[in-house]
Structure formats: structure tokens, C-alpha cells
Amino acid sequence: MQDSIVRLKFNETQILQMQCTNICKLNYPAKSGRYNTPKLALGFIPVILHFRSRRHHQEKFFLKVCGIVVICLLLGSCTTLIDWNFKGKLDPSQGNIMIAELKETVTVRRDAYGIPFVEAKNMEDMAMAVGYVHASDRLAQMIGMKLISEGRLAEMAGPAVLNLDIYMRTMNLKGAAETLYKNVNAENLQLLEFYSKGVNAYLDQHKDKLPPGLALAGYKPEAWKPIDSVKIFALVNFGLSFNLHEEIAALNIAQVIGAEKTAWLLPIYPDEPIAFDEATKLKGVDLNKAAGSVAGIAELQPLLSSVGLGGTAASNNWAISKERTKNGASILCNDMHLPLSMPSMWNMMHIRCGSYDVAGMSIAGAPIVVAGYNGHIAWGMTMVMADNQDLFLEQLKEVNGKLHYLYKGEWLPVTEHKEVFNIKGKSPITMTFYDTVHGPLINEALKQEPIHVAQPKSIDLPYGVALSRTVPTADDDSMNAFFQLSSAGSVDEAIPIMKRIRAIPLNMVFADKNNIAWQVIGNYPVRAKGRGLMPSPGWTGEYDWTGLLDTNVLPHLKNPSAGFIGTANHRTVPKDYPYILSSSWYWPERAERIVQMASATDKHTTKTSMDMQLDTYSLFVPKLKEVILKGTLAADIMKEISSWKDEKKAAAAHLALTMLQDFNGDMKADSKEAALVGAFLNCATKNIFLDELGPVDSKVWKSFLIVNNESYNATCDHLLVRGDESPFWDDINTPEKETKAQIIARSLADAVAFLESTSGNDPGKWKWGAMHTYTWETDTSQMAPHLGFIERTALKSLWSYFNRGPYPASGDIFTLNVSNYMMGKDFNTWLIPSMRMIVDFSQEEPMLAVNSSGQSDNPSSPHYDDGIKAWRDGKYIPFPFKDAAVKDQYQDVMQLNPSAIRQ
């Protein structure tokens, strides 16, 4: 959940700006982020697409646009007027609002960052108020998430997102939500119902003043229903599943270099062997045919990523026992890593109703705090990196006009159902969807033009691609457990609650004043054979799933003798653990750094916890130094450099070695050595793999960048672990066979040459933060290259209005203060700690937290970007629980009152 929430936001100005593009000329920096940067939003795209699909607006709107153009001419810039226009649309933070169905008055306080404190006298009013507040802050986001989960986004955004709708209908999140919803108990169902009433109260009051994106898209939101909150929960769960994209990428790579060689590019962990068995299962499979079968899915990847379904995220959490703290009470820390976005997806909130008192990170659309503190316990989460998706290749043919698939020697008919798609500006279409015993055929839903029914036309069909993924079981109690977790009074009370959360695969770390604990939760498949790292042939049945792991065998820990617990998406189980939780663990260095810093003192405080979260020391650097500067390989590297006749090249390599020798591993923004390490990893990635997988714009190289940057990767594995036995330690463009030492030596020289070409010849002026930066961009800005000329031009003109940055970035993939970049592509940061939270139970007010941007998604709001500086400066915001501190912290007061009739 922490690692993938879909955000949806719009802004009227993108329409207006299209009318004054030639007037407003602002700078538009190059697109930052990774090739398929997973974003947690769809953003302003529906407004832009609305402009394209509806050229004839109402006369009133036309006159408004003309008026704005004239004023822009007078002002010389549209941005000032747009900012003024949106300031006028902001809801007040003080005053009184009538809501008919409230029983009693609810107080909504806001602090200097716009963070709300909601206090009600009964649970029904509390839920209604939270719904109202969520809608007032994030209505467009909520509606977008709902439509995405239902596969109905084209109803608002038009045909450009139809393939996304087809994909989501294939995944059937609606069915998953219905399973979860039917298990919600009466008490929690009532909360969902009153939450919906709060959302709908806001909708009723804003029928003629909806948020700009919804209004200009011409979309009238339906009334919010209780199950809609569960749909968002199901969408969040689905967004955490990412192995699908890795398997598709692996298939694309294997098509070019073969399955066995591809296995070298999919290392599991530094101490584990290459999984050649995964390649063996593809022997006899026509890889060209198989890769062609997933072409439509691969092409959909950028759109999936833009709405947060790319499946990539991370996070840190740890808990320090009272024995290792200065003040004799536990400390819990959590920072959830998500793609860098504007705004952040988190909606921070404090909710109080009698003894129910909880603060933390909420999801707009559901009355649940997913990570936080309730006065008794604190809890945070990280991704397990669970492999709960497998692709199965299916042999298909038609029998008497009906599609069949081969399974265990028999040709079985697919099950099928039809879905109707309503598309803005187009006539409805009907499509047929197919399922095998392994799950839905996802390529059948995507391979043809959207206006056609996806149905095979001949016997000589490509492979079908069926997706097996974990879905809620009939007795799944996850929703009730999440509700109950916020009320848990101790670690012992929380443990059985945690175990009931099966719908989301997470590392839950939690604590009370005297105890700390860790519990892995979620559903994990048991496979008859294989580990699901590559697609499996479905016709034999030998790689089928046979069930789910029992909750009792999932890893857990309470009050360990070490005095701390920490997870960082690393392999949290021994390599001989008898069950497969993942084949896509993250790099181990962040987890190792948690151990190192947690073990360094038995006097931990809030300050040492902050130091850990803000730490930029990379433990990969000393490992790299050990390999390159010591031992046999180091001698071979020096021998190679000494053999070069190019003195400048040799001098560059020697400079790189000297700088590396002097480097302490702190990836600070102003460090020249950090810049060298980053440049070296980039050059090494290309020098090791690009000759086989290039050119850089090829499908196979782009696929490699996916698998090389979503988990422990081939670059690091080859540098630190694999020797000349790997076929990639060779440049296939030369007649001789190169060695590891030769390619590393070349990469050292290339790194210096790169820095000289980009930062000048004086190493003293090289800075990691000059090449490695943060840029807070809206999802639409990141999608700009895929949009039309008019839309791109408008976005360029308004770039500085919507986006912030660039700013120098410290850290990298390996640091606790993570700042992931696309190794082998560029240095633009795409993954950051989207929030930070510390709960020190020894303090009078234990909880501190910070968001990575502002609370608002309106660029004209003072709370759109005020959190960025606090986040960059390492500042934390208090979440007080004591009445006097609450009143001091939250000084803007809004009263939500029952209607005069009810009074």
C-alpha cells in the first residue's frame, strides 16, 4: 500500500493556456525521470484530451477564454492571471459549513501546512467529516482512482486511455473489491457508508463549482458509494504487484539474446546463483512468437506507469527497542519510497473521536490511516517485493469457431465474457475477454485496435499470455483488520490483527512503548515448480500454482535480542528459506546500513533516528573499492591501464582510481567523488551490456533498463560478484575476448571523460548534485512527450506554474535517504522518500512526520509546495495529541455543523 497509490489531478489552466500559447513563453526543461517512471497519477491528461476531443465549447466558456487571452496580452504572461484565478477557487480553512446529515458539530482544524485535525463526537460524524475533508482536498484524485479501478477512465478522458480501461477490466479489480466488500462487518460498513455521505455532501454543495479538471472535462461525478473506497484499496494492492513487467521485459530480452543468457541479467541476490532453471523451462518455446504476444502489453507500460500501475516502489522502516534508546522507550521510523511527484500522494491527517485518536498517512477515498500512531502503538510498512504474479504462455487454436487452449494434453475452451466501454466523444464498443485456468489472457485484450473485438482470427495464433495473480480469498478479512489496527492498544494486540491482512504484501513493523515487532503479511503463491522469474509454458501444468502460503509460516519477530528490527525491501529471509516470497529483492545496502547505524549506539533518540532517515552514506562504495582496488582483479585492472598507449585515457583511469581510493562513501550533493561513482556506474552499465542489448533506443535496451532498475541488478551483480564466466564480460564489437578487468578499466576512464565533458576539466568543480537532481513534476509534464503539439506547447508555457525544481539531490540507490536514478540512462531522481515519520515513545508528543510536497494539488495554494522545502531541509512537523498542543499547532478552525432543520 505504501508503495503504490494512484493520484489523479487536473487543472483548468492547461485548457486556457492553449489559447495563449504564443503569448506566454516560459522555459521548459528536458523531461526528467526514468524511461518508464512509475507515477501515482493520471493527472491533468483528461482535461487536455477533453480539449482535443471537444473543439466546440459552450459560448460562455469561449468568451471566458477570449477574455483571458486579452488580459494575458495586457499582462504579458498567463501565469500570473492563472495563479490569481485558482487562488479564488480555494476552499476556506476557517468558518462554518452546514452538512445536513451530521448529528453534531465536527471541528476541522488545519495547521500552517494545511494538515487537518478532524474532531467529532461520534464515529458516524467522524467518518462523514473525513469524507468531506478528503473530497475538499482531493476530489479529482478520488474520482480518477475510482474510474481507473473500474476500467472506466475513457468516460472522462476519451479514447487515448481506452487501452488502460481494457487492461483494468481484464484485471477485474471490481471483482476483487466485491470480494473484500462482502466481508466488511456491519460496524465498518457503517463507517464506509457515512464516509460516502461526507463525500456526497461535498459533491452536492459543489455541483456548480467542481474542481477545475472535472468541470472542464465535462464529467459529472456519480455519487460516491461505500464499495468505491474498497475499489481504491484493491487498486492500491494491485499497484504493489510488479513482477508482470519484469517478466515481459525478460521475454523481450530473451527474444534477442536467448533465455539462458537472459538469466544473467536477472540475479536474485548477491549470495544466490543465477536462476538458469528459469531459462530452461523456455526451451522449445518460440521466443519471437512469445515476445510478439506481449508487444501490446509492453507498449501500454508508459500509460500504466503514469497512473501508478508500473509496480515500482520501495521504503525503509525500523524499530529500536527500549534497551537501545537513551530514554528507555521504543522508537519507530518509517519512510515510504514512491516516485517523485507533484504533489505527493499522501494526505496526512489527524482524526479524533473520543478514545479513537489516530494520526498519520491517509489515502483520499478511504477513512483509514495506513501508517501512523494512535497514542498506544505506531506502525509503518515497506514492500516485501512479493512475486505474486506469473505469466503463463498458452497455446491457442479455434475449435468450431471458439477459442481453445492446450492444457495437460487437452484442448479446453476459454471462458469468456463481454464488456461495454463508454468512451467520451465516441460510440460505445463491446469487447470480449477470455480466461484460461491460469487467469485472464491479457494480450487478447490489448493486441488489436480498440474499435475491434479482441478475438483470434486464425489457427496460427501467437501464444496467449495468461496472468496468474493473487486475489482476495472468499474469507479475506483485510478491510476489517485495517480498520481495527488503528485502535490497537499494544503490540500483542496488533499481532493477530496484522496476520488478518492478506490482500497486500507488506513488511509491517510496529511498536508500543515497551515492545517492537515485525510481521510479513499478504498472499504468496505456492508453485508446483519454478519460481516465476520468467514466463512459464502453461500447457504442461507443471508450473501451476497449488495454493497460498499459510499465514503461520510468514516471517515474524518480536523483541529480538539485537534490540532493533529493520526492513528495506531486502531479502529478509535466509537464502535456504523453503518458500519463495520474491525473486526481485532490492539491493542489500540500505538494510545493511540500518543494521550498522542501529548497532552503533544503545542511546538512540529522536535525533539519531532523523540522522538515519537523512543518511546519504552508501555501503556499496566500500564494496566497490574492495573489488577494484584490492586483490587479483585490482592488479589486472592496473595491468590493463598500463598497457594503454593513450596517455590521456590512462591518466583519466588513474584519476578515477585515486578519487575512489579517497572517497568515504558519503553521496552528498557537493561531492566530486560521488559524481565519479555515479558516472562510473552509468558507464559500466553501458560498457558491460549495451553491445549485446543496444542501441539505446531499442526495445531490448529499454526492457533491460526496467529489470536493471527495479530490484537488485545485473550491473552491481557483475561488478561485485560475477567474474569472467559471465558472457557479458566481452565486447562483441571487437574480435578479441575482453575480460572483466579490461571493461572496468575502460569504464573508469570513460567516467572521467563523461564528467569532463559535462562538468569541466577541473575535478574540484565536479558535484554529484549538479548532475543528480530532484524535479517535482506533475504527471502530465512527464507525459508531455507522448501528447500532441498543442498540448506540449501549453505545458511548456506553464511548466514553472505546475512544477518545481530542479534541486541538487544527495544520496542514490544504496542510501537510506534514497534518491534512485535510472542506472544506464541518466541521473534524474525518480524515487524518493515520499514521507518520513518518527514516533519516539519517550517524548511528551511522540510523533513527527513530513510530506515530500504540499497537501494541496492546486498550484495556487500556499500548501502546494510548502512541504518541499521542509522535506529538503530535513525538517519534521509535530503531530501533537495533547489538547493544548493541538490548539497551538492547528490554528485555522472550520466548523462542520448539522443543518438548521436538524438542529
Side-chain angles (χ1 to χ4, degrees):
M1 176 180 299
Q2 82 284 12
D3 302 310
S4 192
I5 309 289
V6 178
R7 291 171 300 105
L8 188 68
K9 51 197 182 295
F10 314 98
N11 203 301
E12 162 182 32
T13 57
Q14 292 172 282
I15 297 283
L16 304 181
Q17 182 60 20
M18 293 170 193
Q19 304 296 326
C20 50
T21 294
N22 294 325
I23 301 167
C24 308
K25 298 293 184 182
L26 304 178
N27 292 328
Y28 183 48
K31 178 182 183 293
S32 69
R34 42 180 289 178
Y35 165 68
N36 66 329
T37 304
K39 298 302 298 174
L40 308 177
L42 185 68
F44 307 110
I45 295 170
V47 177
I48 292 177
L49 297 174
H50 169 71
F51 176 82
R52 276 191 100 164
S53 63
R54 295 185 63 185
R55 303 277 180 181
H56 304 289
H57 293 274
Q58 297 178 0
E59 181 178 356
K60 182 178 179 181
F61 180 71
F62 176 77
L63 292 174
K64 179 181 178 181
V65 171
C66 290
I68 289 178
V69 172
V70 172
I71 296 173
C72 285
L73 282 167
L74 296 174
L75 294 178
S77 172
C78 289
T79 304
T80 301
L81 180 58
I82 289 167
D83 187 47
W84 171 83
N85 179 51
F86 275 94
K87 277 186 169 68
K89 294 182 180 294
L90 296 172
D91 285 336
S93 59
Q94 301 181 19
N96 292 274
I97 295 174
M98 294 293 187
I99 300 179
E101 295 196 54
L102 283 175
K103 298 176 181 178
E104 301 182 73
T105 295
V106 178
T107 301
V108 179
R109 302 175 181 271
R110 291 188 184 265
D111 71 1
Y113 288 89
I115 300 168
F117 179 99
V118 179
E119 186 168 14
K121 297 176 182 177
N122 61 78
M123 293 297 285
E124 293 86 354
D125 283 353
M126 180 211 73
M128 194 183 305
V130 171
Y132 190 94
V133 170
H134 272 166
S136 66
D137 288 345
R138 302 286 179 93
L139 179 64
Q141 176 187 13
M142 293 164 61
I143 298 302
M145 293 169 70
K146 172 182 178 292
L147 292 177
I148 291 170
S149 70
E150 295 173 336
R152 296 175 52 209
L153 192 61
E155 294 179 19
M156 179 169 65
V161 297
L162 178 59
N163 271 0
L164 174 62
D165 282 353
I166 296 170
Y167 181 80
M168 296 308 296
R169 299 273 187 105
T170 306
M171 297 298 106
N172 191 23
L173 295 194
K174 181 181 177 182
E178 289 172 347
T179 300
L180 291 168
Y181 184 68
K182 74 177 183 180
N183 292 322
V184 176
N185 63 35
E187 179 183 356
N188 294 327
L189 182 59
Q190 187 176 43
L191 292 179
L192 291 176
E193 289 171 347
F194 277 90
Y195 178 88
S196 299
K197 289 181 179 181
V199 175
N200 293 329
Y202 183 87
L203 284 170
D204 289 342
Q205 294 177 8
H206 293 75
K207 286 179 179 178
D208 299 322
K209 47 181 179 178
L210 289 171
L214 295 177
L216 290 173
Y219 186 80
K220 298 296 184 183
E222 302 166 346
W224 193 265
K225 302 179 182 66
I227 195 173
D228 293 337
S229 296
V230 186
K231 289 174 184 175
I232 289 178
F233 185 87
L235 183 65
V236 169
N237 177 29
F238 181 69
L240 287 179
S241 303
F242 68 99
N243 187 248
L244 165 63
H245 309 294
E246 289 188 327
E247 290 193 45
I248 291 172
L251 203 54
N252 285 332
I253 297 170
Q255 179 187 16
V256 174
I257 65 173
E260 184 171 349
K261 198 170 182 180
T262 299
W264 288 96
L265 306 179
L266 303 171
I268 297 171
Y269 221 57
D271 61 354
E272 296 195 38
I274 298 298
F276 292 115
D277 287 347
E278 286 293 295
T280 301
K281 68 184 180 183
L282 291 176
K283 283 186 177 180
V285 174
D286 185 336
L287 294 177
N288 288 322
K289 191 174 172 183
S293 296
V294 298
I297 306 165
E299 291 168 5
L300 186 62
Q301 176 68 29
L303 185 54
L304 291 173
S305 296
S306 74
V307 296
L309 301 177
T312 298
S315 297
N316 302 318
N317 60 10
W318 60 84
I320 309 293
S321 71
K322 64 180 182 179
E323 290 79 14
R324 297 195 71 92
T325 63
K326 181 178 180 180
N327 298 318
S330 305
I331 299 175
L332 180 134
C333 302
N334 188 203
D335 52 283
M336 297 189 275
H337 305 168
L338 293 171
L340 178 56
S341 59
M342 190 65 186
S344 162
M345 46 70 65
W346 294 115
N347 188 283
M348 299 198 296
M349 181 177 284
H350 191 150
I351 308 167
R352 175 180 290 174
C353 180
S355 62
Y356 183 85
D357 200 1
V358 59
M361 311 300 147
S362 73
I363 304 169
I368 298 174
V369 171
V370 299
Y373 168 66
N374 69 359
H376 306 286
I377 70 164
W379 65 99
M381 53 198 68
T382 70
M383 281 183 68
V384 176
M385 310 303 288
D387 184 352
N388 53 14
Q389 293 180 324
D390 280 353
L391 286 183
F392 287 88
L393 303 177
E394 307 281 21
Q395 293 187 32
L396 304 175
K397 75 173 182 179
E398 283 186 0
V399 178
N400 297 323
K402 184 175 177 61
L403 186 65
H404 285 61
Y405 64 101
L406 181 64
Y407 184 65
K408 295 184 178 180
E410 295 185 61
W411 287 99
L412 304 178
V414 298
T415 58
E416 57 183 74
H417 70 280
K418 295 183 183 298
E419 296 273 352
V420 177
F421 293 83
N422 295 310
I423 308 162
K424 184 174 183 177
K426 300 285 184 181
S427 299
I429 65 170
T430 300
M431 301 193 70
T432 304
F433 292 79
Y434 307 98
D435 285 79
T436 74
V437 68
H438 297 114
L441 288 175
I442 56 178
N443 59 319
E444 288 299 304
L446 300 169
K447 72 176 184 179
Q448 297 191 21
E449 291 296 323
I451 61 172
H452 297 302
V453 175
Q455 185 174 354
K457 302 299 181 184
S458 66
I459 294 177
D460 187 18
L461 298 171
Y463 291 112
V465 182
L467 175 65
S468 287
R469 67 180 184 90
T470 55
V471 295
T473 57
D475 60 348
D476 194 300
D477 198 36
S478 296
M479 293 299 299
N480 294 321
F482 251 114
F483 274 110
Q484 189 177 356
L485 180 59
S486 295
S487 300
S490 66
V491 160
D492 286 339
E493 187 178 336
I495 289 173
I497 299 173
M498 296 280 189
K499 290 183 177 181
R500 288 163 41 212
I501 303 174
R502 299 300 305 273
I504 300 181
L506 298 169
N507 289 298
M508 300 293 289
V509 169
F510 46 112
D512 57 30
K513 185 174 183 179
N514 298 309
N515 301 282
I516 62 174
W518 163 55
Q519 177 70 56
V520 171
I521 64 173
N523 286 325
Y524 301 85
V526 177
R527 299 172 176 87
K529 186 178 179 182
R531 60 186 306 140
L533 190 59
M534 289 186 183
S536 303
W539 46 88
T540 67
E542 60 185 315
Y543 299 98
D544 287 2
W545 292 7
T546 61
L548 299 173
L549 283 182
D550 187 279
T551 303
N552 294 322
V553 306
L554 295 179
H556 58 278
L557 197 61
K558 179 185 172 185
N559 294 331
S561 58
F564 61 87
I565 298 168
T567 76
N569 319 113
H570 65 299
R571 192 188 67 199
T572 55
V573 294
K575 66 178 180 179
D576 59 354
Y577 185 69
Y579 310 104
I580 296 174
L581 301 181
S582 176
S583 298
S584 305
W585 308 105
Y586 248 52
W587 296 262
E589 282 76 21
R590 281 192 288 117
E592 292 167 352
R593 183 62 170 161
I594 291 174
V595 172
Q596 186 181 73
M597 296 189 77
S599 303
T601 179
D602 58 2
K603 303 295 182 183
H604 279 284
T605 62
T606 298
K607 177 61 169 59
T608 64
S609 300
M610 291 179 178
D611 290 343
M612 289 178 70
Q613 287 191 331
L614 301 174
D615 182 64
T616 56
Y617 184 85
S618 167
L619 285 182
F620 180 79
V621 170
K623 295 178 182 179
L624 184 66
K625 292 170 67 172
E626 185 72 22
V627 168
I628 292 180
L629 300 176
K630 299 178 181 179
T632 303
L633 182 62
D636 291 341
I637 292 171
M638 289 300 297
K639 181 179 179 181
E640 169 64 15
I641 296 171
S642 299
S643 71
W644 294 345
K645 296 180 180 179
D646 186 334
E647 294 182 0
K648 182 179 179 181
K649 180 179 177 182
H654 283 299
L655 174 61
L657 288 170
T658 299
M659 291 178 66
L660 187 61
Q661 178 68 58
D662 295 339
F663 188 32
N664 67 357
D666 192 349
M667 301 294 290
K668 296 185 296 184
D670 61 357
S671 169
K672 63 179 182 293
E673 294 88 358
L676 174 75
V677 169
F680 170 75
L681 289 175
N682 192 60
C683 292
T685 299
K686 292 180 177 178
N687 287 340
I688 299 169
F689 304 110
L690 188 59
D691 53 324
E692 286 95 344
L693 306 177
V696 293
D697 60 350
S698 68
K699 180 174 68 175
V700 66
W701 181 252
K702 292 176 181 178
S703 294
F704 170 69
L705 290 180
I706 291 174
V707 300
N708 201 53
N709 285 280
E710 292 198 342
S711 57
Y712 175 68
N713 69 1
T715 296
C716 298
D717 193 62
H718 274 70
L719 287 172
L720 300 186
V721 181
R722 313 301 165 187
D724 288 329
E725 72 276 6
S726 169
F728 289 98
W729 288 119
D730 179 37
D731 184 348
I732 64 173
N733 297 313
T734 65
E736 64 272 12
K737 169 70 168 65
E738 280 79 14
T739 65
K740 181 175 181 176
Q742 289 175 310
I743 292 179
I744 288 178
R746 181 191 305 172
S747 300
L748 289 166
D750 288 349
V752 171
F754 172 83
L755 290 170
E756 289 177 340
S757 67
T758 57
S759 303
N761 293 330
D762 182 0
K765 296 181 179 180
W766 297 348
K767 292 184 178 180
W768 178 225
M771 53 198 278
H772 180 51
T773 59
Y774 304 117
T775 300
W776 275 259
E777 288 185 289
T778 65
D779 53 301
T780 307
S781 294
Q782 297 216 18
M783 287 291 290
H786 306 286
L787 302 177
F789 172 77
I790 294 176
E791 294 88 343
R792 293 198 309 271
T793 304
L795 287 168
K796 289 178 184 179
S797 297
L798 285 173
W799 194 94
S800 63
Y801 178 67
F802 290 110
N803 307 307
R804 301 294 182 267
Y807 306 106
S810 296
D812 67 358
I813 295 167
F814 312 103
T815 59
L816 288 180
N817 189 5
V818 75
S819 182
N820 278 24
Y821 61 95
M822 197 70 167
M823 192 183 298
K825 182 177 183 286
D826 56 37
F827 303 99
N828 300 315
T829 299
W830 66 267
L831 189 80
I832 64 168
S834 62
M835 49 69 71
R836 300 184 181 108
M837 179 180 74
I838 297 173
V839 178
D840 182 346
F841 284 88
S842 72
Q843 299 300 302
E844 185 174 351
E845 294 290 358
M847 181 176 170
L848 301 171
V850 67
N851 209 341
S852 58
S853 74
Q855 287 284 106
S856 174
D857 60 5
N858 186 332
S860 294
S861 168
H863 303 309
Y864 182 66
D865 60 3
D866 54 349
I868 292 177
K869 188 176 189 305
W871 183 90
R872 291 181 59 226
D873 290 346
K875 181 178 179 180
Y876 291 76
I877 300 165
F879 281 72
F881 277 62
K882 296 184 182 300
D883 289 342
V886 166
K887 291 179 181 178
D888 185 59
Q889 175 80 11
Y890 302 92
Q891 297 192 1
D892 288 347
V893 181
M894 172 73 74
Q895 300 284 352
L896 305 182
N897 299 309
S899 68
I901 295 177
R902 183 174 284 277
Q903 289 177 334

